[in-house]
Amino acid sequence: MLYLIENQKKKFPHIKKGKGHPLILLHGLMGGLSNFKALLDFFPKKGYQVIIPSLPLYKMPLLLTNIYSISKYVIQFLIKIRIQRATLIGNSLGGHIALIIAKKRLDLVHSVVLTGSSGLFEKAFGDAFPKRENYEYIRRKSQEVFFDPNMATKELVDEVFHIVNDKKKGIKTLYIAKSAMKYNMSKDLSVIQQPICLIWGRQDHITPPEIAREFHRLLPHSELHWIDKCGHVPMMEHPKIFIEILEKWLSKFNFNHENFFCKI
């Protein structure tokens, strides 16, 4: 990891950099904090505070290993660090978590950015990891995440291979994935009134373009932006374009006079 994780041994390990309007970055099920490196490098220089919590995907008891509990954890984290009216930026599972929080805690969420978000549909491994001991199979599945298969580096493939072949992590990964599939938000999206920015890869095979269009249709205050020659993780595959879209969208809001910290 390129940056120091604050309070690594405490309940809410996270990365925090910069001052200003808080951007909370939420990674996906097979993702990590490093997926957002470009955003962490860029936005603190532009007057934003970037915060990336380390999601407890493998640290909760099995019965609590689900998307609802992880969303509750992030809510507790935001309250603990006394931040409100933040912009939540979520990829894949992280986007799903952001939507759940936006629905439940209007006071904590100013706006939401979704990229390759689950919540309506996501092409997953299924009920098990077939051929999980087959490295070549895991390599191919990892490549499917990107438009450019070379983005699936050996380091990334090794990490996924380790997760699915670790019995405890593999089981918990399946529990979270299945809970996300069950928590379909199609009937909930109309009540989410915060501004939403959808940034989607045109060649996303995990959450295909029609899913982005459906999010755009169901979310009352949403904008949809496309990145061409791009798969499921635009902020990794085309970070400059992603940042350009995001910065322009954020510039619509006047954050100068807002209070982002809870009063005690």
Side-chain angles (χ1 to χ4, degrees), residues 190-239:
S190 63
V191 305
I192 297 176
Q193 297 300 311
Q194 295 96 326
I196 309 285
C197 182
L198 302 161
I199 307 177
W200 229 264
R202 285 193 184 275
Q203 289 76 30
D204 186 343
H205 299 300
I206 309 300
T207 47
E210 57 265 30
I211 301 305
R213 296 188 188 99
E214 187 68 358
F215 269 122
H216 184 39
R217 185 181 73 84
L218 294 172
L219 287 161
H221 305 290
S222 63
E223 292 183 11
L224 176 55
H225 302 267
W226 297 103
I227 299 180
D228 199 19
K229 297 182 180 179
C230 183
H232 189 56
V233 281
M235 70 285 182
M236 289 181 66
E237 198 157 13
H238 291 286

Side-chain angles (χ1 to χ4, degrees), residues 20-224:
H21 177 73
L23 307 179
I24 312 298
L25 313 186
L26 303 170
H27 62 78
L29 182 56
M30 288 293 184
L33 283 69
S34 60
N35 291 15
F36 292 107
K37 180 184 181 301
L39 279 68
L40 186 62
D41 288 340
F42 180 84
F43 281 102
K45 299 173 185 176
K46 298 295 181 176
Y48 295 92
Q49 183 177 61
V50 178
I51 302 170
I52 317 179
S54 179
L55 301 181
L57 302 180
Y58 312 115
K59 295 181 180 179
M60 292 182 167
L62 192 59
L63 291 177
L64 294 178
T65 301
N66 55 62
I67 192 168
Y68 178 81
S69 294
I70 297 170
S71 302
K72 187 176 179 181
Y73 169 92
V74 176
I75 290 173
Q76 292 172 342
F77 168 67
L78 294 176
I79 293 171
K80 176 68 175 179
I81 63 174
R82 300 176 56 205
I83 282 183
Q84 61 183 4
R85 291 187 56 74
T87 296
L88 307 185
I89 303 174
N91 173 242
S92 197
L93 180 82
H96 200 162
I97 292 168
L99 287 170
I100 293 171
I101 298 170
K103 178 194 170 190
K104 292 182 177 296
R105 293 298 300 263
L106 183 64
D107 59 317
L108 297 178
V109 182
H110 169 274
S111 49
V112 177
V113 179
L114 304 177
T115 180
S117 177
S118 59
L120 293 178
F121 168 83
E122 182 176 25
K123 180 182 176 183
F125 282 97
D127 293 331
F129 290 111
K131 305 178 185 177
R132 66 190 178 96
E133 296 180 358
N134 185 327
Y135 186 88
E136 179 60 24
Y137 169 79
I138 298 299
R139 185 180 69 83
R140 291 198 306 271
K141 296 298 287 187
S142 299
Q143 288 176 336
E144 288 179 7
V145 172
F146 304 97
F147 172 78
D148 177 6
N150 293 321
M151 291 291 297
T153 62
K154 185 178 185 304
E155 181 182 9
L156 186 149
V157 176
D158 286 349
E159 186 175 350
V160 175
F161 186 76
H162 172 74
I163 290 171
V164 300
N165 283 283
D166 181 302
K167 187 174 181 180
K168 289 183 179 179
K169 288 184 177 180
I171 290 172
K172 289 188 174 184
T173 298
L174 288 174
Y175 266 58
I176 295 168
K178 290 168 72 174
S179 73
M181 292 173 69
K182 288 179 181 178
Y183 200 145
N184 186 288
M185 298 195 70
S186 57
K187 295 181 180 179
D188 301 318
L189 298 182
S190 63
V191 305
I192 297 176
Q193 297 300 311
Q194 295 96 326
I196 309 285
C197 182
L198 302 161
I199 307 177
W200 229 264
R202 285 193 184 275
Q203 289 76 30
D204 186 343
H205 299 300
I206 309 300
T207 47
E210 57 265 30
I211 301 305
R213 296 188 188 99
E214 187 68 358
F215 269 122
H216 184 39
R217 185 181 73 84
L218 294 172
L219 287 161
H221 305 290
S222 63
E223 292 183 11
L224 176 55

